[in-house]
Amino acid sequence: DIIDRTTTTPPSAKTIPLWPNTFAGQVEEALLAKYPASKIERVLQSWRLAELDYEHKEFVGSQQSPPLSEDVGGTSRCYQHAPSYVPGLSAVAWWDDDLVTNLPWAKSLAKSYKAIREEFTEVMSNPDKLASDGNNIWAGALTTDAESYGEGWKTLVLLNRGQWDETNASLFPATSKAIHKSGVPAAEAFFASMKPQSSIAPHTDFTNFVLTSHLPLVVPENGKNKCRLSVGDETREWLEGKVILFDTSIYHDAINDSEEIRYILMLRVWHPDLTEEERGALQLIYDILEIPELLDKDPKVVDKAEDMARRMREFPLKD
């Protein structure tokens, strides 16, 4: 069993500012220069915990429906593992279908399903052109943390950490515009493929402040339970055109038990429990990690870096 069922308690990092001469301390100063400490206290605590190499591990069965008060027999998979951890956010394995279908952005994406699938199928019909024109087309795991996905799982990125990939967005304009128009609070958006007769081992995505949403595009033998996703203790099948929302900081795994490739549009969305200021602070951290010049002491350098960050976050296509 590869599920880590140990639990941890956050150390007292709430009131300990980071040393300002370090990179982490400079990031903290940048956060406080833009937001009042009282508005981003949980993000500050998260950043300080990360600097301490803290990894949050918790049994979250009590937050599920129906609740599981304890892991009798040590068989539950309702465990959260999140080194990137914002305290105080709910940890629900599967968000209720009725709630998800009534989210304005989910409604909008579901309505765009046919157009997204048609465009995807058309572009995929010329794989050589896609490979030559696109950017990192069908890339595999980029980090050691992602290796649990296995060789059968590949991605084609449209949006990463709030920054659009203009090249790939231009190859999928209808899809990119549908994502943008929906108003989905996405930090990431990408297509994901899963090879036939392949599986993804139980793992977590190590971050609790984003949830994961799927819009299944091509599901082999749709409705016959051949392509399945388990989060916590519940397993569901992907169904074409049905938007789902779940928490990948909780152990999850997947299987494609068919003879064809499964394709989905995958989005990482900011956790609904985050405030607008907290989302802004987390995005600022992403921007600094991408553009360290945002921390420069020269105001002219900072202005140029801020302009670059704004342009990278702007939607690159004309309506």
Side-chain angles (χ1 to χ4, degrees):
D1 191 346
I2 63 174
I3 294 173
D4 186 346
R5 291 184 169 85
T6 60
T7 59
T8 58
T9 302
S12 180
K14 188 173 182 179
T15 58
I16 308 172
L18 297 175
W19 187 249
N21 291 334
T22 65
F23 174 77
Q26 291 171 23
V27 172
E28 183 169 289
E29 286 185 338
L31 292 171
L32 291 170
K34 190 168 184 178
Y35 300 99
S38 60
K39 295 289 187 180
I40 59 166
E41 185 56 53
R42 295 192 298 187
V43 175
L44 291 173
Q45 187 175 0
S46 173
W47 186 244
R48 292 166 183 170
L49 289 171
E51 185 65 6
L52 294 173
D53 293 326
Y54 172 73
E55 297 190 12
H56 188 72
K57 301 177 184 181
E58 180 181 358
F59 175 65
V60 294
S62 62
Q63 298 187 49
Q64 312 313 310
S65 181
L68 184 65
S69 59
E70 59 180 318
D71 183 8
V72 178
T75 58
S76 174
R77 308 193 321 166
C78 284
Y79 284 83
Q80 181 181 64
H81 181 192
S84 295
Y85 173 71
V86 172
L89 304 182
S90 58
V92 178
W94 288 98
W95 285 62
D96 184 74
D97 278 348
D98 290 337
L99 185 151
V100 175
T101 54
N102 284 303
L103 290 170
W105 61 263
K107 275 186 180 180
S108 180
L109 285 174
K111 286 180 181 178
S112 300
Y113 160 69
K114 185 177 179 181
I116 293 173
R117 175 173 167 146
E118 286 178 353
E119 177 181 70
F120 180 79
T121 302
E122 181 181 350
V123 176
M124 285 293 293
S125 68
N126 193 339
D128 291 339
K129 185 176 188 303
L130 176 60
S132 64
D133 294 350
N135 183 26
N136 291 324
I137 300 301
W138 299 123
L142 299 178
T143 66
T144 303
D145 294 342
E147 287 178 355
S148 58
Y149 283 89
E151 294 182 0
W153 189 87
K154 307 285 185 182
T155 64
L156 194 166
V157 172
L158 301 174
L159 175 74
N160 184 45
R161 289 186 170 181
Q163 299 170 355
W164 284 93
D165 184 314
E166 184 173 358
T167 298
N168 290 349
S170 298
L171 294 174
F172 295 91
T175 301
S176 300
K177 289 177 181 179
I179 294 169
H180 181 62
K181 180 183 175 183
S182 74
V184 58
E188 300 175 22
F190 50 92
F191 297 109
S193 69
M194 190 174 182
K195 292 172 85 172
Q197 295 299 318
S198 68
S199 61
I200 299 171
H203 66 286
T204 84
D205 291 348
F206 294 157
T207 303
N208 82 322
F209 52 79
V210 291
L211 302 180
T212 298
S213 179
H214 288 176
L215 174 63
L217 301 179
V218 180
V219 180
E221 299 187 62
N222 188 49
K224 295 185 178 179
N225 205 35
K226 290 287 188 177
C227 297
R228 305 180 297 277
L229 173 68
S230 299
V231 187
D233 293 332
E234 184 178 353
T235 301
R236 299 184 184 183
E237 65 175 315
W238 282 289
L239 295 170
E240 291 178 355
K242 180 180 179 181
V243 178
I244 55 176
L245 184 66
F246 51 98
D247 191 332
T248 48
S249 69
I250 298 170
Y251 277 94
H252 57 287
D253 63 74
I255 187 167
N256 179 357
D257 201 21
S258 78
E259 300 302 324
E260 299 175 31
I261 301 175
R262 180 236 60 186
Y263 293 104
I264 59 171
L265 176 63
M266 184 166 171
L267 303 110
R268 308 274 198 201
V269 302
W270 295 114
H271 197 296
D273 291 352
L274 293 169
T275 66
E276 184 176 348
E277 291 88 353
E278 287 172 330
R279 288 199 298 194
L282 290 166
Q283 182 62 58
L284 178 57
I285 293 173
Y286 280 163
D287 290 346
I288 292 171
L289 294 175
E290 185 72 23
I291 311 172
E293 290 81 4
L294 286 165
L295 298 177
D296 201 278
K297 299 300 182 184
D298 186 338
K300 290 182 180 179
V301 174
V302 173
D303 286 345
K304 187 176 180 180
E306 288 179 343
D307 183 62
M308 182 186 297
R310 276 193 298 271
R311 285 187 282 108
M312 292 175 74
R313 289 198 303 271
E314 285 177 356
F315 185 60
L317 307 182
K318 293 181 180 179
D319 292 330

